Structure formats: structure tokens, C-alpha cells
Amino acid sequence: MTDLTGAYDIYSHYMDIAWPTARAGIFVGRAKEFGKVLEIGSGTGATATLIAKSGTPVVCIEPSREMLKISRGKAAKENVDCTFVQSTAEEFDVGEVFPFIFIKLVYGHFITEGERHRVLARVVKHLAPDGEFMFDVANLALVSQSVDETLQEEVQHGGFVYKRYLTHEPRTQDYFMSIYRIEQWKDDELVGQQVVESPVALLSSEVIIEELKAFGFELVGVYGEEIDKPFDETADPLMTFHWRFGE
């Protein structure tokens, strides 16, 4: 996987301000049905904290030190049962199995087949028989084209205004680059700026299904924003895959 740890160390503060629970609902709702769950690429810990507040312990895998710092502070403040492990999705080993594993807003960063296979091998090792696995990926119908830099949002926090600009640049037939430029404003003056490049795989449903079935997974469903809402190719920017692992 392209090493994004340094980039997301920088980006972590903004993510925690602007996207604290982005797309959390579909994963939180399912995770609450299990006794203990594993999140791979847990970011600033917002989703894990929501799950843990419902009484379900969460083990979190995250390579970014800054993300983990925010996560641990959040879990301590809420007094919830979250365990944080600094490791990559391709290398982690926590020595136990789980009935439910999920990856939110991260699976698309595994650009090559080899990277995805290494991640799936880790998932299989840590997933209980008949366990469930969920992840989301970009909808090719909406995100595979070039997008000139566009202001996506403005967020006010701590006396500052943060502006996030997004550019999509197709690089190869396998992936495109999402380029985020974050501006920090104070009293109408630009006081800071950060740029983060994030590669996103162009994965078709056919490729995903073939790869997951090769690892022993059976497809339960493909959803949009909610687990009871079928995926709409014309409207949903992301599609969420729900799998069950065979005996």
C-alpha cells in the first residue's frame, strides 16, 4: 500500500473536526449486534467510540501516530472499551478472532491486487467462522472522471475557518488521485495550508466479488448509505459490501 501515514498525520486534525463520524452509521448499526469487533484503519477513532458507547468493545488498527493520539484521547474522555494497535492493515496480528471486522473509507487505498490480498489474508486470520466483514469503496460511475479543484466544504472551529478543496486526477487505469488542499483562515487571512494526495483504486464490483470469493467469502449484500438501502449507482458515491466468511 502507498504509505499514507505521514500525510494522514497532517490531515488527522482536520478530519477530526470536519468528518468525525463520516459514514459511521452503516457500520455502527451492524457492529452493535456483536460482542467484540475489529476496525481496520480506524482513523481518529470516531466510529470505534460510537460503537463502544453502545457496549461493544472495539479493537482498532491504525498506522498513524497522530490519529492514534486523537483516538486514545477520545476513548478516554468517553470512558469506553477501545484497544488501539499501531500497525498497517497488511501486517497486524492481535492474536484473537472476531465475529465482525470492518474497514471504513480505507479499502480503496489498497491499489494493487497484491496489497488487497495481503489485507484479506489478515482479515481471514482474525475473522471467526461464519463471521461478517464489511467495507466500502468508491462508485466508479461517479468518481472515475477528472474533477478540477472544487471547494467541498467550509468548517468553523476554534476561531478558525477551514476550507477543503478537492481535485480528482486519473493516473492509470487502476487508480485515480484524490488531492485535498486544506486552507486555514483567521479573520479573513490565510494562516495555514496543507495538501494531501490520496490514491484511490478503481475497483469494479466484478473484481471485488472475484477476489473476496477466492478467500472464502460469500456476498450478503451491497448497500448505499444504510444497510437497508440498496446501492444506487446514479447517486451513491460509495458502495458498501457486506460479506460472510465460510466455515
Side-chain angles (χ1 to χ4, degrees), residues 11-147:
Y11 200 33
S12 59
H13 177 66
Y14 175 80
M15 289 180 69
D16 199 51
I17 293 169
W19 299 344
T21 56
R23 283 191 61 79
I26 193 169
F27 297 99
V28 173
R30 192 64 190 146
K32 287 160 58 175
E33 301 297 317
F34 299 92
K36 189 175 186 180
V37 303
L38 175 71
E39 180 178 12
I40 301 172
S42 55
T44 62
T47 302
T49 300
L50 282 176
I51 294 169
K53 285 175 72 174
S54 74
T56 299
V58 187
V59 175
C60 305
I61 307 300
E62 172 57 48
S64 166
R65 186 172 313 214
E66 289 302 313
M67 294 279 197
L68 287 171
K69 181 179 178 181
I70 294 171
S71 300
R72 291 187 174 109
K74 194 173 296 179
K77 181 179 179 181
E78 298 290 343
N79 192 29
V80 294
D81 189 355
C82 291
T83 302
F84 298 99
V85 178
Q86 185 173 11
S87 183
T88 68
E90 298 170 71
E91 298 174 331
F92 75 92
D93 189 344
V94 298
E96 60 180 309
V97 297
F98 302 83
F100 182 69
I101 297 175
F102 70 99
I103 305 177
K104 178 174 73 77
L105 299 175
V106 174
Y107 195 81
H109 293 316
F110 307 120
I111 304 301
T112 70
E113 181 183 86
E115 290 168 348
R116 293 190 297 276
H117 284 190
R118 288 191 291 274
V119 173
L120 291 173
R122 295 287 90 196
V123 172
V124 167
K125 181 173 182 178
H126 290 83
L127 192 60
D130 207 34
E132 296 184 17
F133 176 41
M134 288 178 68
F135 62 83
D136 50 12
V137 295
N139 174 8
L140 297 190
L142 297 182
V143 302
S144 59
Q145 303 301 315
S146 295
V147 175

